[in-house]
Amino acid sequence: MAEVKYSGVRESKPGRVNDLGTTGKKAEEDFKKGCLKRADRSFAQGLQCQQINSMAALMSLEDSVFISHSPQGCVGCAIMAIDMYRVGQAHRGIKNIENPRIIVTNLDQKSVVFGGEQKLREAVKKAVTRYTPKMIFVYASCASGIIGDDIDAICEDLSDEYPDQLIVPIHCEGFKSKICASGFDAAFISINKYILKKEKKEKIPGLVNLFAPTTVSFADQKEMERMMSLIGAQVNYIPFYSSLEKIRRIPQAEASTSICKVFADEFMKELEEDYGIPYSHTVMPIGIRNTDIWYRGIAKVIGKEKEVEEIIEKEHLRIEPLVAEIRKRLEGKRVFICGGTGRSFAAAALIDDFGMQLVGLETPTYDGDAQADVEYLNNIHKDYVIDIANMQPFEQVNLLNKLKPDAFIGVPQWAAQLGYPTTHVLDGKRPTMGYDGLLYLGRKIADQLENPGFNVKLSKHAKLPYRDSWYNEDAFKYIID
Ligand code: SF4
């Protein structure tokens, strides 16, 4: 029987659901019984598209051009990743800060009827003549997928015309998946297929691939690299602020790990199958517990179990008195958390360090990994609400209005407008990870709680677009089995 390769669509994995409104206890029980159903929403308020994640994952690669084979609007929300890329350059001491080189083919009504091939060819020509890049990534979109433009064949043909460029098609058509992390997988599938090509290379002793998404700050990169160097690993930090040379070094590593639970997890499996690279896939290193788990995971793979225990002991001695100080400021506070699958569960574990109580958790997917986290959280927190949602602010504000938490940790836009003290968990600009990151994050949460004035004022002047009656409805009324 032919080998079934992973398609890059996260929903294709059994037991993964992405529309659910329940409680921590019930989610745990239903998952164990195999009763979690793949539901849908009869009303939804926007969804993050996987194309943006494919683009954000690679946006900071040197000598690259990114062609979105799409209508103009598709790249609209790339702005968040562009902002992080620009700030990331500033943090790295780059004086002449650049924008990523993004070209949109601007598919329109005519293209839908006659095909968009010519526009894509022209875009590649412009990319080469303007920038002479080493890599050109061509991103599919809903429109190019629906009209059936064969971007693989076009890129192959153009590769003959432009032999100095690697032209890489990426299949991240928005309609293929409601889980935006599928976009990461689509990007990595193409990197393996078109750049690495299963070529085995000589190993570099001590080299470890450390996969990190755009949202990881420079401070977090340095903390992760510091921790890795303490166990004797030389880090190949991929793909953020990296290059073709560093990508080509991926198969030479002795091991791989990722900073995020849903970033490069599928790719690391491929790397093990295709290049024999063992990997560690555990949790996101936010908070003491998760940082310990993450650190032990990669140390085990590279045979540094004894060394890591000594380091962890020292780190605990260093940070525990400081954590105790923060705990005095935060103990007993009720928290609502919203973020990506990796960060939200990691943040939920982090609040335990500070004695805070979880009342609600919003995150895009629930699966076996989430179940392990929820089992852990259910031992600590009394029952809390779980909203499995890719975006859906209307559900979030409804829940906030009912649960009335003391603090909100996550993507803060709507909670801030309701006046809650907010701390951004997707903070690609400041430390959040590792032993040092948790101190910074803890102090930031405490500062926000003690200085809520800005959000309180904001709530007096901002009006969310919902009727008062919505706040009395069941937050999950539009989720249908
Ligand atoms: S690719 Fe599809 S889902 Fe993504 S932005 Fe474009 S139209 Fe929207």
Side-chain angles (χ1 to χ4, degrees), residues 47-52 70-71 73-75 77 140-143 172-175:
L47 221 63
Q48 186 180 337
C49 161
Q50 61 157 327
Q51 192 209 48
I52 293 307
S70 68
C74 291
V75 287
C77 59
S141 64
C142 289
C172 51
E173 294 87 347
F175 58 71

Side-chain angles (χ1 to χ4, degrees), residues 8 50-51 53-55 57 170 172 179-188:
Q50 61 157 327
Q51 192 209 48
N53 275 28
S54 286
M55 202 175 267
I170 297 179
C172 51
I179 305 176
C180 44
S182 298
F184 297 143
D185 298 343
F188 284 122

Side-chain angles (χ1 to χ4, degrees), residues 15 20 24-37 366-368 370-376 378-379:
L20 175 71
K25 292 267 183 302
K26 183 132 183 17
E28 180 184 344
E29 282 163 20
D30 287 350
F31 188 86
K32 275 187 189 148
K33 288 190 269 179
C35 296
L36 282 191
K37 288 192 191 139
Y366 197 99
D367 56 13
Q371 173 75 0
D373 285 313
V374 165
E375 284 176 15
Y376 160 75
N378 286 347
N379 285 328

